[in-house]
Structure formats: C-alpha cells, structure tokens
Amino acid sequence: MSRHSTELPDPDVAGPLEGVRVVELAGIGPGPFAAMLLADLGADVVRVDRPGPSPLGGDPAHDLTNRNKRSVLVDLKSPEGPRTVRALAARAEILLEGYRPGVAERLGVGPEECMAAHPALVYGRMTGWGQRGPLAPLAGHDIGYIATAGALSMIGTPDGRPVFPVNLLGDYAGGSLYLTTGVLAALLTARATGRGQVVDAAIVDGTAHLTTLFWGMLAEGTWRDARGRNLLDGGCPHYGVYETADGGWMAVGALEPQFYAVFVALLGLDAEDLPDRADPRNWPELRAVFTTRFKTATRAEWTARFEGTDACVAPVLSLHEAAGHRHLTGRGTYTEAYGVTQPAPAPRFSDTPGTLRRPPAVPGTHTPDVARDWGVPELLKGPC
C-alpha cells in the first residue's frame, strides 16, 4: 500500500501499537471504546469478561466496541480470580478499568496490587466523576457529566431545552479520547523510566477541557454564557441548520467572508440586499431570510447546488446515508467487516495503519489462546 493510498490496509499489516499488551477489565461505555481504539491501532487487547450475561444485553457478536480484542472469562469474586488478573497485568503494559472508585481495590486488582509485581504498568482508570471529589462515589451517565461540566448548557436553541448529542460528547470525547491519550503518554514515560503510574480519566474533566476555547472567548467578551446566542452555537445565521422543502436539513458553516459570499450567491440572494452579518442585531433577520429560501427546494436539490463549492454547506445525513456518501466511500471511512458495516480505524498512518483484524470478541472465546500467548495457565482452569 502506498503512503498516500486511501484503500483499506491489509489486515496482516501491523498497526503502530503492535506489541503493546493491554488488559481491559470489562465494563460499558467509554472504557470499552478506549480499549477498542488501542486495539484498532494494533495493541493486543485482552478483555477480562465476567461470567453471565452482558450488562447491556444484546448479542456480543455485534458489539463493535469489542472488535480487534480477545476475551477471557474470569470471576473476580472467586478466590483465584484476582490472582489471575494480576498475572495478566504482570505481562501487560497497560490496564484499563472503569469501576467506581474503590471497587478495583476491594476486588484485589487495584493499582497497588497490580503494580506491586509490575512497577512499569500504566493503570488507566475511567470514571464519570473521577477518583476523588464530593461526587466521586456516586453513579452517573454521560448526560449528567456534560451537564455538570457546563457543556450541555451550550447546545440547543436559546428558547428551547438543552440538546444532548447522544453520548458522543461525554463518554467518548471527554472520556475515551482522554483515557487513551493519557495511557499512551504514560506509556512513553514508563518505557523511558521504568516507572508506571495511574491515569485518572474523568469524563467531567475531559468534557470541561473540551470547552477551553470558550473560556478564553468569555474572558475577552466575544462569547456569551447563554445558549444559542453565539458564533458557533446556532446563534449565528450563517452557522446553523435549515429545513428544506421535503423535511430534510442542510448544515451551513459559511463563517469566513469569502465562503459566505459563495453561500449567499448559490442561495440565490444578492449580498447587497442583505443586512450586515457582522452585527448580531441583524442575525434574526438574516436567519428568517435563509429559512424562507431553504424551504423553496428539497435537500437533494440544495445538495446538488452546493456540492463541489466553497460555500461550506452540506446535507445532514443519517448514519446509513453517511456510509454511502461518495467522499467517505472514496476514503474508506466506512467499511464492511465480518458482515457488518462499521467505521474503519482512525486516524490514518502512512506506514503502520490500523486494521480490523478480529470481529467483536465473544466473552471467553480466546481463553486458550491468551493462556498460551501470555503465559497465564491459570486461565485454563475455567472462569476463575
């Protein structure tokens, strides 16, 4: 494969994390997704599943966040279970867990126990509230974390309710991505010094960190701490979504003057007849004009008009539609693997691309292989 090829890589090509061993203590949400990211990039991720049904139900063969992993069954509440996990951790470079604070310690697989025999271990902890703080011991979910971090208040119309972007913002952006960044940074230090460390990745921390730009804008007075009244939150008429004649939607991001000029022209309007967009007092009038204009044609008609231009306008696609978009198919952004359409690994690497090497790991399927490859014969005794 050439350096600049957009074709999907050969599954036998090693990823950039080849040779990195990761233990994932099974959980739900951001922890499994973080482990999937590492697995997509070539790490040998062994997921320690517990006996019994999945906590979320459903068919584990379709849980794509468990792709590229191997699974073993360990009962952490049995006498031998914690010892088996510690044996796996002793042969790994990274361990990921997503229990409430104190649970891993009570089970005998906390940082102190796992790092006693392996001081270079990077121990990644994924929680919503973090390992300490008044709310640390409490339950929670994405929606509550992003609400507390201030991010949820920013999304939605000024007179409507806050809109939560499924669990992409908290669980995956504020959680998984920060956990993976943290453990990989700690891995570099561990390899250089021989000393591992604990990475405390809290969704509230990561989500708050994502709002850094806006804190600077608040300080300089260019951002209002009010939903739907700013440049990037739907307050600006040339950065928003508009309904089309057939009930579809178009997304407009014509911020820069040169792109705005193209947008207005293709919308069939004369810029000289429009009020000054730089004055927020004119935004309601501009929005009304754009709303009326978009209602005169279908989404397909507007797409055909704007596509291939610098107007910065795109149709709002469903998941199925996105998988068929010509740009994304051209790049291989989505692929079909093991009978399921799914996003391909990201980001792209010129020499060591991530690959889809394995389907989602069904609990316990790889126990014999992991016992052999990692040298942990205790696994062969069955669910410990």
Side-chain angles (χ1 to χ4, degrees):
M1 185 178 70
S2 69
R3 284 179 175 267
H4 303 292
S5 172
T6 58
E7 297 296 320
L8 285 174
D10 186 317
D12 294 327
V13 176
L17 295 182
E18 183 193 21
V20 175
R21 286 181 172 179
V22 179
V23 174
E24 175 199 353
L25 302 186
I28 60 174
F33 191 83
M36 184 205 76
L37 289 173
L38 300 176
D40 280 358
L41 299 183
D44 183 6
V45 176
V46 170
R47 178 177 168 94
V48 178
D49 281 298
R50 66 198 71 180
S54 166
L56 290 180
D59 183 357
H62 285 98
D63 184 352
L64 294 179
T65 63
N66 286 329
R67 70 188 189 187
N68 281 334
K69 304 175 184 179
R70 299 194 285 180
S71 171
V72 299
L73 285 180
V74 176
D75 183 358
L76 279 169
K77 295 183 178 180
S78 73
E80 294 301 318
R83 185 180 307 166
T84 301
V85 168
R86 293 195 297 268
L88 286 167
R91 293 158 174 79
E93 289 187 276
I94 297 171
L95 182 146
L96 303 180
E97 62 95 355
Y99 301 134
R100 290 199 207 187
V103 171
E105 286 82 355
R106 290 198 297 273
L107 291 171
V109 293
E112 185 175 345
E113 295 88 348
C114 289
M115 297 172 75
H118 187 11
L121 179 69
V122 173
Y123 194 103
R125 317 197 79 165
M126 182 78 263
T127 60
W129 302 116
Q131 294 299 313
R132 59 184 177 85
L135 301 181
L138 302 180
H141 284 292
D142 174 292
I143 191 170
Y145 306 138
I146 67 174
T148 303
L152 182 57
S153 73
M154 303 170 65
I155 308 171
T157 60
D159 301 320
R161 67 183 66 185
V163 176
F164 48 96
V166 289
N167 66 330
L168 295 175
L169 176 55
D171 281 353
Y172 298 137
S176 304
L177 297 185
Y178 280 85
L179 178 61
T180 54
T181 300
V183 297
L184 291 176
L187 178 60
L188 291 177
T189 300
R191 287 184 168 182
T193 66
R195 296 192 305 273
Q197 59 186 301
V198 176
V199 177
D200 175 4
I203 295 173
V204 286
D205 294 348
T207 304
H209 193 262
L210 289 169
T211 67
T212 300
L213 169 69
F214 305 104
W215 281 96
M217 296 175 73
L218 279 170
E220 69 178 3
T222 56
W223 189 270
R224 297 176 62 185
D225 198 7
R227 181 171 59 256
R229 301 184 186 278
N230 299 283
L231 190 66
L232 300 173
D233 64 357
C236 171
H238 41 285
Y239 197 89
V241 293
Y242 291 92
E243 190 175 8
T244 60
D246 58 343
W249 295 88
M250 299 296 292
V252 177
L255 290 177
E256 294 81 356
Q258 67 273 28
F259 304 147
Y260 180 77
V262 178
F263 161 64
V264 168
L266 291 176
L267 204 55
L269 300 172
D270 188 339
E272 297 296 325
D273 296 334
L274 297 176
D276 181 10
R277 70 173 194 148
D279 187 346
R281 291 174 297 182
N282 294 327
W283 286 0
E285 181 182 351
L286 274 173
R287 182 178 293 104
V289 172
F290 298 160
T291 297
T292 299
R293 186 64 184 145
F294 271 108
K295 281 292 190 73
T296 64
T298 65
R299 190 188 73 170
E301 290 169 331
W302 286 121
T303 299
R305 178 172 295 194
F306 285 112
E307 198 167 51
T309 75
D310 280 342
C312 298
V313 178
V316 178
L317 303 180
S318 70
L319 290 178
H320 282 110
E321 289 173 327
H325 190 276
R326 66 185 184 90
H327 179 76
L328 303 184
T329 56
R331 284 185 56 78
T333 300
Y334 292 89
T335 187
E336 184 171 329
Y338 309 105
V340 178
T341 298
Q342 56 194 285
R348 311 295 177 92
F349 294 81
S350 60
D351 293 324
T352 56
T355 58
L356 296 179
R357 305 179 308 282
R358 297 187 183 93
V362 174
T365 300
H366 307 98
T367 299
D369 293 341
V370 174
R372 180 194 66 235
D373 297 345
W374 284 39
V376 184
E378 296 93 327
L379 290 169
L380 296 178
K381 298 176 183 178
C384 302

